[in-house]
Amino acid sequence: MSNSRSSSIPRGHQVVRVDNTSLAVRTPSPLRTLDDVRLQVAYEVAIRSITRAKSLDGVKIGVSLTLSKDEDEFFLYKVADMIAYQLQLTSFLFAIATTGPSLVHRPNPVVFVASSQEFVQRAILLTSAKFIGRIRSGAQLSPVCWAGLIDGIGTSTYDDDAFWDILHKCSRAPMDPTLPPPGSRSINQILSDVRAQLQRITPQQALDELREPEVGAPTFLVDIRPVAERELGGIQGSLVIERNVLEWRFDPKSNSRLAIADRYDLRIIVFCQEGDTSSLAAYSLQQLGLLNATDIIGGYQAWKDAGLPVDDRAGVRALIE
């Protein structure tokens, strides 16, 4: 009897005694393959990424950086597929990449997966800007998935911050282009705020100061107008300093400063064509510590309208340019 029962049990199975009267057959679990293990790990990485994700404007965003191994891109594809499957009813954008040196000594694979093509397109453009000179290749795997190779991912804290910044900027809800963002100011508001910090002077006051300075420091009249406006007339003896280099020419700490800009109490009177740009320029000089800087109300046009000395000979007008 015993021999008959034993012979009927398939090879590879175990007989387990349950009690004194009966026997049960237990089938061993099939062996797991390497692909099974990698699939399980990919699932765990996907779930961990989703758990740690943030929400911004209704979009779930997350960054997952894993240690580098061979054939990383195929592993990342599986992670991306599982994230997409788990979040198929949600708006999302995720960046998945490996970190550190690859076993085959090549750039690190990076994958962006999202719920919409627009998110992926934004991510591609911002990644190109964030990782200039480090992107070796890139391809659109599908409308909602992009993969590329980037040098040295994870070699500095910059990379993790860069990926998060990309996701934040990509996932923001579109704004009404006519609606100013919170905290923004119009140029008229900025100009008004700047002028509240200045003691602006009239053209006549500027001329009087040049003849008899009110402060015990050298006084200079500075023309910051572009060359096209200077060719129409100017003030002989003024210093011609292009607006884009003004701060560097008068900052006493600058290596590009003028020889006269060796002290902070200079009286610098800036003028432009109509007195708007000059206010911003004078305020910028004050921010450098040149607290006596100011500008002319109405600019060169007001100077000319007041009948003060002007010179239309551009070649002899400026003593220093």
Side-chain angles (χ1 to χ4, degrees):
M1 185 70 175
S2 175
N3 291 338
S4 175
R5 180 172 295 179
S6 297
S7 63
S8 66
I9 298 173
R11 181 177 297 177
H13 290 62
Q14 298 177 342
V15 177
V16 180
R17 183 173 296 280
V18 178
D19 51 34
N20 293 330
T21 60
S22 63
L23 295 174
V25 178
R26 184 177 66 192
T27 304
S29 300
L31 295 176
R32 299 179 69 189
T33 66
L34 181 58
D35 286 341
D36 293 332
V37 174
R38 288 176 67 83
L39 194 62
Q40 177 63 30
V41 175
Y43 174 77
E44 293 174 356
V45 171
I47 295 301
R48 185 167 61 248
S49 300
I50 294 172
T51 302
R52 296 177 178 177
K54 304 176 182 178
S55 291
L56 180 64
D57 290 344
V59 180
K60 192 172 281 291
I61 59 175
V63 174
S64 179
L65 303 182
T66 66
L67 293 177
S68 180
K69 296 185 179 68
D70 198 7
E71 299 181 350
D72 279 317
E73 57 265 46
F74 301 107
F75 174 74
L76 297 186
Y77 299 160
K78 293 177 181 178
V79 176
D81 286 343
M82 291 182 177
I83 290 175
Y85 178 77
Q86 294 292 327
L87 300 177
Q88 53 186 310
L89 300 179
T90 306
S91 293
F92 67 89
L93 174 60
F94 280 72
I96 317 159
T98 63
T99 61
S102 169
L103 295 179
V104 292
H105 304 291
R106 64 189 180 92
N108 300 91
V110 176
V111 174
F112 284 102
V113 61
S115 57
S116 74
Q117 184 176 3
E118 184 178 1
F119 286 157
V120 173
Q121 291 299 321
R122 293 179 189 174
I124 294 172
L125 294 174
L126 287 173
T127 299
S128 299
K130 288 286 187 181
F131 296 95
I132 290 179
R134 294 172 59 185
I135 300 178
R136 297 306 170 206
S137 64
Q140 195 94 21
L141 303 182
S142 75
V144 292
C145 186
W146 177 89
L149 294 174
I150 301 180
D151 285 331
I153 293 295
T155 55
S156 73
T157 57
Y158 169 84
D159 295 338
D160 186 63
D161 293 339
F163 280 125
W164 277 111
D165 186 52
I166 290 170
L167 300 191
H168 274 90
K169 290 176 178 175
C170 289
S171 58
R172 286 176 179 161
M175 291 178 15
D176 181 348
T178 64
L179 182 66
S184 64
R185 295 179 295 165
S186 69
I187 186 58
N188 287 335
Q189 290 174 311
I190 293 174
L191 195 58
S192 177
D193 293 343
V194 162
R195 285 174 172 169
Q197 309 298 318
L198 300 173
Q199 293 183 343
R200 306 182 73 208
I201 57 178
T202 65
Q204 186 61 56
Q205 289 172 324
L207 181 61
D208 292 342
E209 284 197 28
L210 290 170
R211 292 173 173 173
E212 187 174 354
E214 294 183 357
V215 296
T219 301
F220 299 99
L221 189 61
V222 179
D223 186 349
I224 62 170
R225 296 175 301 156
V227 62
E229 291 179 345
R230 295 200 306 269
E231 288 177 348
L232 300 178
I235 304 171
Q236 186 175 5
S238 61
L239 302 182
V240 175
I241 310 291
E242 294 285 353
R243 175 64 191 92
N244 62 322
V245 296
L246 180 69
E247 289 84 354
W248 283 266
R249 295 296 181 262
F250 281 106
D251 183 359
K253 295 180 180 179
S254 171
N255 293 329
S256 302
R257 67 176 178 81
L258 297 173
I260 57 173
D262 58 353
R263 50 196 292 175
Y264 284 94
D265 62 347
L266 293 178
R267 178 62 163 171
I268 302 170
I269 304 173
V270 185
F271 72 91
C272 62
Q273 187 67 19
E274 296 181 347
D276 291 334
T277 304
S278 59
S279 293
L280 300 176
Y283 179 74
S284 180
L285 292 177
Q286 286 197 358
Q287 296 301 293
L288 297 177
L290 299 161
L291 302 183
N292 288 328
T294 190
D295 74 317
I296 295 177
I297 299 171
Y300 172 74
Q301 189 61 51
W303 178 288
K304 183 178 180 180
D305 291 344
L308 301 181
V310 296
D311 196 327
D312 58 4
R313 295 171 298 166
V316 299
R317 184 184 313 128
L319 300 182
I320 298 179
E321 291 195 29

